[in-house]
Amino acid sequence: MKVKIEIEDGLPEDEVVIRCAHLNDEIVSLQNYIAGQNNANRHLPLRNGETDYYIPVNEIYFFETEGREVRAHTADRIFVCPYKLYELEDLLPGGFMRISKSSIVNLDYIYSITRNLSASSIVEFSGSNKRALVSRAYYKALVERLHERKFKSCREEPPSPAHKS
């Protein structure tokens, strides 16, 4: 793997581009690592009532639109978000994914997906009783991304040896 740094004056923000012949586990790991470094301490300005909060991005389970508002859900609270979903897609790290026209989820918190072939499937989250709907159009891509993120680590870690007495 070749690593190259190019310095360019006037860039609005730093950008990392990965060029590869094909996508493999090593490239996905590298992308996830780089994205995590940049967004580890990022906070979003959110509102609840008359109070402004600055919530770490990694504490947000999902975003959904309700009427004209975008709402951010944490494990136990709901906040109003000043951004539109399409703006959030550009702002959020790679661990977030759109799952319908009205929702973006944090893949790290997904606990289960109850599949429904005739309508939207239901996503449930770890540490919360909240649910979000994934549309049929996004279902396959969601399952593939989850497989990439969650099962990749199983392949990298060797099984622990069984203790025999």
Side-chain angles (χ1 to χ4, degrees):
M1 179 183 303
K2 181 168 65 170
V3 176
K4 183 166 73 169
I5 297 175
E6 297 175 358
I7 298 171
E8 188 175 324
D9 292 334
L11 282 178
E13 68 178 312
D14 293 334
E15 177 183 36
V16 176
V17 176
I18 301 173
R19 289 190 184 93
C20 55
H22 61 280
L23 192 61
N24 59 34
D25 290 344
E26 183 181 18
I27 299 297
V28 171
S29 293
L30 182 60
Q31 181 218 6
N32 289 336
Y33 176 78
I34 292 169
Q37 298 307 303
N38 188 37
N39 295 296
N41 298 318
R42 183 179 276 179
H43 291 66
L44 277 180
L46 303 172
R47 180 175 286 252
N48 190 335
E50 296 301 313
T51 306
D52 291 329
Y53 294 90
Y54 299 90
I55 305 298
V57 169
N58 62 357
E59 290 183 15
I60 298 171
Y61 282 48
F62 66 100
F63 296 88
E64 69 177 348
T65 56
E66 188 169 311
R68 303 191 105 193
E69 287 184 337
V70 172
R71 296 187 177 190
H73 292 256
T74 62
D76 56 356
R77 305 217 31 210
I78 300 173
F79 300 91
V80 174
C81 180
Y83 301 102
K84 304 289 184 205
L85 286 182
Y86 70 88
E87 294 171 321
L88 287 169
E89 284 183 295
D90 291 335
L91 290 173
L92 294 170
F96 284 83
M97 178 182 176
R98 186 181 283 259
I99 61 165
S100 70
K101 286 173 34 176
S102 61
S103 297
I104 296 174
V105 296
N106 185 336
L107 299 171
D108 293 333
Y109 287 111
I110 292 179
Y111 174 72
S112 69
I113 304 172
T114 303
R115 188 171 187 181
N116 185 338
L117 296 174
S118 62
S120 295
S121 299
I122 299 170
V123 173
E124 294 182 272
F125 300 93
S126 301
S128 176
N129 61 356
K130 295 186 179 191
R131 297 175 172 197
L133 297 177
V134 57
S135 69
R136 289 184 305 166
Y138 289 89
Y139 178 84
K140 182 179 179 185
L142 174 61
V143 171
E144 287 173 359
R145 284 280 304 277
L146 284 173
H147 183 76
E148 248 176 40
R149 293 178 65 83
K150 296 194 182 270
F151 297 119
K152 176 184 67 69
S153 63
C154 293
R155 286 181 281 160
E156 291 175 353
E157 297 172 16
S160 56
H163 296 289
K164 294 183 180 180
S165 304

